[in-house]
Amino acid sequence: MKGILLAGGRGTRLYPLTKSTSKQLLPVYDKPMIYYPLSTLMLFGIREILVISTPHDLPHIKHLLGSGAQFGLSLSYAIQEQPEGIAQALVIGANFIGTDNVCLILGDNIFYMGEQYHQFLSAVHRDEGSKATIFAYHVSNPQRFGVIEFNEHLEAISIEEKPQNPKSNFVSVGLYFYPSDVVAKARTLKKSARGEYEITDLNNLYLQEQRLNVVPMRRGNAWLDAGTPDSLMDSSIFVQIIEKRQGLKIACLEEIAYYQGFISREQLQHLTQELSAGAYKDYLQKVLDDAHEIY
């Protein structure tokens, strides 16, 4: 499976923070925002990833992440000239996807999956290649998102984009797994009244074919959309609390690459030695010193 990380958009909700830089390069506590969605792809075992961003922001993101080889990844890059919807990323990435299955993640979405992570992994693998898999999260303000309606058997029966009268408090999060026919479906989409190729319209195509698996995220998991000043601050505070309480980092790419087997111990040692003195280097040294994985 390949991955697409959509780090586009104008970041207008975060102005003036985004006047001179991409929102995906803004800090979420101690790491750039883009580290968090990238770490999610890595946790799902995805190593071949296309990063899509604006003409202005892409060089800065490429400067940060490079080829990805230091994390055992293969990163490539593409430009989204105009922000015309999430589903547009699948058309931009058509040649990259080819005949493979693909995971699409949004660059301002932060996930903390906790103990349910392995269940999510199993759900994705169970239907990989045949069904699309998306995730639902319970929120207090569903009007801002794609709202998912379930029947009494917890089966999704409708998805509605930003409804005035939501049918539930469960919304679709910015993490989508698709079989290889997704490019053909994305190309059939028409722009909505908002002038965008809506990801909800794409998901509804799979729902109509009874090929959409919707996995509810339970209590104890966290999903944050860091696209507004309040949610950006909330995300930083959340990460700070978890990291200080546990003494373990969220979205430490070097650590994840090591525990996923993407890089060797020797490679992790080299990455650690190259860092300047500081808390991040101290943490990676602690990872090296630990005799076993605590993940």
Side-chain angles (χ1 to χ4, degrees), residues 135-258:
F135 298 88
Y137 192 80
H138 193 280
V139 299
S140 60
N141 55 343
Q143 296 89 344
R144 290 182 52 210
F145 306 99
V147 175
I148 301 172
E149 179 187 10
F150 292 96
N151 62 20
E152 63 273 17
H153 304 295
L154 278 181
E155 298 168 333
I157 57 175
S158 75
I159 312 174
E160 190 177 2
E161 184 66 23
K162 296 181 175 62
Q164 291 185 352
N165 299 298
K167 296 178 181 177
S168 83
N169 285 86
F170 279 97
V171 303
S172 173
V173 304
L175 178 64
Y176 317 91
F177 291 84
Y178 294 112
S180 57
D181 64 350
V182 69
V183 172
K185 289 186 182 301
R187 282 176 167 155
T188 69
L189 298 178
K190 305 298 182 184
K191 286 186 180 180
S192 68
R194 300 193 307 150
E196 296 188 359
Y197 298 101
E198 304 285 357
I199 198 71
T200 293
D201 291 344
L202 179 62
N203 291 334
N204 271 318
L205 292 178
Y206 283 99
L207 183 63
Q208 292 162 13
E209 295 178 358
Q210 297 184 330
R211 295 176 60 210
L212 183 69
N213 179 29
V214 182
V215 182
M217 298 179 71
R218 300 175 185 170
R219 297 187 184 189
N221 298 295
W223 166 63
L224 301 110
D225 175 355
T228 68
D230 283 344
S231 59
L232 180 63
M233 179 64 74
D234 289 344
S235 299
S236 289
I237 292 171
F238 175 83
V239 173
Q240 180 193 39
I241 290 171
I242 296 295
E243 291 192 355
K244 290 183 72 173
R245 171 74 68 173
Q246 294 186 341
L248 301 171
K249 286 196 176 297
I250 299 173
C252 177
L253 301 184
E254 295 88 349
E255 178 186 22
I256 294 171
Y258 175 53

Side-chain angles (χ1 to χ4, degrees), residues 53-201:
S53 190
T54 68
H56 176 270
D57 295 329
L58 196 64
H60 304 294
I61 294 173
K62 191 171 183 179
H63 177 74
L64 173 68
L65 299 175
S67 69
Q70 69 274 31
F71 307 122
L73 306 176
S74 175
L75 300 182
S76 52
Y77 298 88
I79 289 174
Q80 183 184 39
E81 295 288 353
Q82 296 293 330
E84 295 182 324
I86 297 169
Q88 185 187 34
L90 296 159
V91 177
I92 294 172
N95 291 336
F96 168 78
I97 296 168
T99 58
D100 290 301
N101 305 317
V102 65
C103 172
L104 170 62
I105 192 168
L106 304 187
D108 59 0
N109 275 221
I110 297 169
F111 295 91
Y112 182 72
M113 299 185 180
E115 294 181 357
Q116 205 183 353
Y117 158 71
H118 294 289
Q119 297 175 28
F120 295 154
L121 196 60
S122 296
V124 169
H125 288 328
R126 182 178 65 243
D127 295 313
E128 185 176 346
S130 59
K131 291 184 178 182
T133 297
I134 65 174
F135 298 88
Y137 192 80
H138 193 280
V139 299
S140 60
N141 55 343
Q143 296 89 344
R144 290 182 52 210
F145 306 99
V147 175
I148 301 172
E149 179 187 10
F150 292 96
N151 62 20
E152 63 273 17
H153 304 295
L154 278 181
E155 298 168 333
I157 57 175
S158 75
I159 312 174
E160 190 177 2
E161 184 66 23
K162 296 181 175 62
Q164 291 185 352
N165 299 298
K167 296 178 181 177
S168 83
N169 285 86
F170 279 97
V171 303
S172 173
V173 304
L175 178 64
Y176 317 91
F177 291 84
Y178 294 112
S180 57
D181 64 350
V182 69
V183 172
K185 289 186 182 301
R187 282 176 167 155
T188 69
L189 298 178
K190 305 298 182 184
K191 286 186 180 180
S192 68
R194 300 193 307 150
E196 296 188 359
Y197 298 101
E198 304 285 357
I199 198 71
T200 293
D201 291 344

